[in-house]
Amino acid sequence: AIGGCHYSRTPMALVWEIIRQKKKGLVISKSITATEGDLFLVAGTTRHIITSWFSPGVTWGVSRVMRHYVQSGEAIFEEWSHMSLGLRYRAGAMGIPFMPVRSMLGSDVFKRLKDIKEMKCPFTGDLLALVPALNPDVAIIHVQKADPFGNAQIDGFPFMDKDIALAADKVILTTEQIIDNSEIRRAPDQTDIPFFCVDAVVEAPFGSLPHESYGLYEPDFNHMDMYVKLMMEKTVDGVKDYLDQYFYSPK
C-alpha cells in the first residue's frame, strides 16, 4: 500500500528505491494513483494495481500508460470507489474481515468487482455491499514529522494513511524530518500514526518530489509537465526514457 493521495504526500523516495532495486511481482494499492503507477508498470514492479482512479493529474486526463497495459491485457487495473477502498483499509485496521457499506450499490463498478458480496441487513432489511478488509504486507508512507520510534504527525489531509498503517503487516515511514520524542509528547493529540505499528523510519527531505508535501512545498509542475509530455507523446517508451534519466542513471 502506498500512502498519500494522487500527487500529495506520495512516498516518492521509497518508490524510487523500490524501482531502483528492481522489485517485481508486487500488487500495489493506493487511494488515487498518479505518476508512480506509470513508473511501477513500466519498470515491471507490478502488473496489478488496486485503486480508485489512475491519472497523472486532473488537468492531464487518464494515464495512457495505464490504458496501454490494461487494454492489452498485460496488467490488471482493479477499480474500487474512493469510499469503498478507504473502508477496506478501515476494516483491515479494525481487524474485521469485511465492512458493510452502501457505497457502489447500483453502480457498474460494483458489477465488475469479484471480491464483493451483498447481504440484507439483519436489523433493517436494507441491501448492503460487503467490502473485504485490505491488509497490505507492507505500507510505505511519507509524513512531515516523525520521531525515531515512528510516532508520526501529518499536516494537512491524512487521507487513508492512519488506517493503512494499522492494517499493514509492516510499515516503512519516510519523513521530511526526524524530531525528538519530546516534541511528540508536547502534543500527543497530533500523533496520527503511532510507533507500535511502524517498523522503520527514514529521514528523506523532499521525499515526495516531484509531488507535494503539504505546508512545505508544492508539486514541481514544470517537472510534471515535462513527464506528462513524454508519457503522452511516447507512452511506454517515454516513461522508459524518464526512468533511464531520473531513476537508473543517477548514482
Side-chain angles (χ1 to χ4, degrees):
I2 302 174
C5 182
H6 211 189
Y7 49 77
S8 182
R9 221 168 21 77
T10 309
M12 289 301 290
L14 287 176
V15 168
W16 187 93
E17 185 61 19
I18 287 168
I19 290 174
R20 190 192 68 81
Q21 290 187 18
K22 299 186 178 179
K23 303 291 187 186
K24 306 291 181 185
L26 303 183
V27 178
I28 303 291
S29 64
K30 190 190 178 195
S31 163
I32 305 185
T33 301
T35 54
E36 75 286 341
D38 293 344
L39 304 176
F40 277 142
L41 284 170
V42 175
T45 310
T46 186
R47 287 293 180 264
H48 185 168
I49 294 181
I50 303 168
T51 190
S52 53
W53 198 49
F54 196 140
S55 164
V58 175
T59 56
W60 295 299
V62 172
S63 164
R64 290 189 181 176
V65 169
M66 179 271 285
R67 291 191 65 161
H68 167 83
Y69 280 97
V70 174
Q71 291 179 345
S72 67
E74 295 176 66
I76 298 168
F77 171 30
E78 185 180 330
E79 184 179 16
W80 296 73
S81 71
H82 302 319
M83 174 66 79
S84 63
L85 185 59
L87 290 175
R88 290 192 65 193
Y89 290 130
R90 176 67 56 87
M94 294 172 65
I96 57 177
F98 64 87
M99 184 77 78
V101 301
R102 298 184 191 277
S103 179
M104 299 188 299
L105 284 171
S107 75
D108 286 338
V109 176
F110 184 95
K111 297 173 187 175
R112 292 173 180 272
L113 289 166
K114 296 176 182 177
D115 295 332
I116 195 166
K117 298 185 183 300
E118 293 179 352
M119 70 168 283
K120 282 192 176 181
C121 173
F123 299 102
T124 65
D126 291 348
L127 185 66
L128 298 172
L130 307 180
V131 298
L134 187 51
N135 291 97
D137 296 320
V138 179
I140 56 173
I141 297 171
H142 186 70
V143 299
Q144 284 90 351
K145 290 174 283 188
D147 71 9
F149 305 105
N151 295 297
Q153 296 178 347
I154 297 172
D155 296 330
F157 286 124
F159 304 121
M160 301 175 186
D161 292 5
K162 298 179 186 182
D163 288 327
I164 288 172
L166 290 167
D169 291 340
K170 292 187 181 299
V171 176
I172 304 171
L173 287 183
T174 52
T175 180
E176 294 287 335
Q177 62 174 147
I178 292 178
I179 60 175
D180 192 81
N181 179 252
S182 62
E183 292 189 51
I184 295 289
R185 289 172 180 269
R186 282 194 198 101
D189 58 306
Q190 294 178 28
T191 299
D192 293 295
I193 297 174
F195 74 95
F196 57 77
C197 63
V198 175
D199 294 89
V201 182
V202 183
E203 191 169 47
F206 300 102
S208 284
L209 279 175
H211 297 184
E212 68 151 3
S213 184
Y214 175 82
L216 297 174
Y217 48 87
E218 295 292 314
D220 184 344
F221 283 118
N222 289 331
H223 184 91
M224 291 179 72
D225 277 334
M226 176 274 294
Y227 166 80
V228 172
K229 188 171 186 292
L230 265 177
M231 184 266 290
M232 290 295 194
E233 288 179 354
K234 299 172 68 178
T235 317
V236 172
D237 288 338
V239 178
K240 284 180 179 177
D241 292 346
Y242 181 86
L243 286 170
D244 286 341
Q245 183 172 351
Y246 292 99
F247 281 62
Y248 298 132
S249 295
K251 293 179 182 179

